[in-house]
Amino acid sequence: MPQPIILHHYDFSPFSEKVRLAFGLKGMEWHAVDVPVAMPKADLMPLTGGYRRAPVMQIGADVYCDTLLILREIERRRPEPSLYPGGRHGLAHALGYWVERTTFVPAAALATSVIGDQLPTEFIEERKTFMNHDFSKEASLRERPLNLQRLHAHLSWLAQMLEGGRPFLLGDRPSAADLAAYHTIWFARKNGGPTVEAALPLGPLLGWMDRVAALGHGTRREMPAGEALDIAKAAEPEAPGVPADGDPSGLRAGQEVVVSADDRGRDPIRGALVAADAEEVVIRHENGRVGAVHIHFPRAGFEVLAA
């Protein structure tokens, strides 16, 4: 019997919305494990070796971190309908990488300029340290003019991609690029309400956003965190789909390595290198609650160094 697809996420998370929409595009069934919005995350750390960002996808004893890699793995396991129509993987990855890196923090801060005083104090304080950004309402209001400048510039490019009646960014079919471009704007609109609606040039994007939202989230089943950990402990990691010694910098399988994000929230994740190539790295991590798991990371956005 195939292992269930488990998403460790929280509903408030914009990056989790990106993955939920991928499940909707493919009409998939998946299991939802809710994680706290801030540390401690006692039921997630055993699986991830210390990686705290949401979402994380688990399939048996394999754990996939970062939405860039999560979407690629979903595509590998369920090729149709494709997240990369016409085989345009590189274009979708590059477009998504650009738009998330440039719009996530400004969009989130625009939302917190409205709702920042409603967020838990522990959330605000953790993000100051983890992301080196103050999402309090007071700080977000101070930065609002600059964030509006930043978002207007990039949203205008998205609008240009949709000119001439193009329904989605890459053509007639939705793709991973649409999901990446959508979720940061979704977060700002959902939480900023009419204030954000009035401040951003959303008119040319609204029809496109409606089409992306209509993909839905597939079939969601709730799962307790303990059950997900038990599934990992009872399973064996799958054979990696990347070569053991394909690391472009010369790292070798079996070597102890440290993986960390290259932008913010650089928590080190330690383990033994299992496999690697130009796009993915897999490490082995062991914990008493889950046994041995393979943790997968994309290369873009992460650094891998010998321990």
Side-chain angles (χ1 to χ4, degrees):
M1 183 176 179
Q3 295 283 4
I5 294 176
I6 304 167
L7 191 70
H8 298 258
H9 77 138
Y10 54 91
D11 289 334
F12 186 64
S13 162
F15 284 90
S16 297
E17 179 68 5
K18 175 183 175 182
V19 179
R20 294 187 293 255
L21 287 166
F23 292 144
L25 185 151
K26 290 182 176 290
M28 294 175 64
E29 179 177 304
W30 56 285
H31 293 73
V33 174
D34 287 330
V35 300
V37 299
M39 293 289 279
K41 300 184 179 185
D43 293 321
L44 183 64
M45 297 297 100
L47 282 170
T48 65
Y51 180 85
R52 70 173 80 176
R53 298 184 182 189
V56 167
M57 186 173 75
Q58 174 196 348
I59 302 177
D62 283 87
V63 180
Y64 300 89
C65 301
D66 193 271
T67 58
L68 176 63
L69 182 61
I70 289 172
L71 262 59
R72 286 210 304 260
E73 185 61 22
I74 291 171
E75 178 79 359
R76 186 181 75 82
R77 293 172 182 267
R78 181 73 69 87
E80 295 295 336
S82 179
L83 287 164
Y84 311 97
R88 287 171 289 183
H89 295 73
L91 182 57
H93 291 325
L95 197 157
Y97 195 78
W98 150 66
V99 74
E100 287 177 343
R101 289 254 167 159
T102 56
T103 66
F104 168 60
V105 170
L110 196 60
T112 54
S113 72
V114 179
I115 64 163
D117 56 348
Q118 303 169 35
L119 297 175
T121 301
E122 59 269 24
F123 175 89
I124 298 293
E125 293 303 314
E126 185 198 45
R127 266 46 178 189
K128 286 180 184 177
T129 303
F130 180 63
M131 297 183 65
N132 194 30
H133 193 93
D134 186 351
F135 285 104
S136 67
K137 184 170 185 176
E138 181 182 12
S140 299
L141 282 171
R142 283 198 304 269
E143 296 178 358
R144 191 170 183 270
L146 287 177
N147 286 326
L148 284 173
Q149 292 176 20
R150 293 162 181 151
L151 284 172
H152 272 249
H154 294 290
L155 296 188
S156 69
W157 289 357
L158 291 178
Q160 290 169 33
M161 294 178 199
L162 297 167
E163 286 178 349
R166 177 182 289 184
F168 297 101
L169 296 178
L170 299 186
D172 293 334
R173 295 165 60 188
S175 72
D178 294 285
L179 309 189
Y182 170 90
H183 71 87
T184 59
I185 312 170
W186 165 83
F187 184 84
R189 288 183 72 199
K190 180 179 176 65
N191 296 289
T195 302
V196 166
E197 292 275 358
L200 291 178
L202 295 177
L205 301 175
L206 293 178
W208 164 74
M209 292 197 74
D210 288 344
R211 288 187 287 274
V212 175
L215 297 173
H217 293 162
T219 302
R220 172 175 172 167
R221 312 285 188 198
E222 302 300 322
M223 177 180 283
E227 184 177 341
L229 298 185
D230 290 343
I231 287 172
K233 191 164 188 176
E236 292 291 332
E238 298 178 2
V242 293
D245 292 320
D247 177 71
S249 67
L251 295 171
R252 310 296 288 180
Q255 210 174 338
E256 289 294 316
V257 297
V258 177
V259 183
S260 57
D262 67 7
D263 55 353
R264 55 179 64 87
R266 299 171 62 89
D267 288 343
I269 301 96
R270 297 175 178 269
L273 185 65
V274 175
D277 64 6
E279 293 197 82
E280 182 177 348
V281 61
V282 186
I283 65 172
R284 180 183 176 90
H285 166 71
E286 295 189 29
N287 179 279
R289 293 186 68 189
V290 299
V293 296
H294 283 177
I295 310 175
H296 303 245
F297 298 90
R299 300 310 292 256
F302 288 82
E303 298 173 348
V304 186
L305 300 172

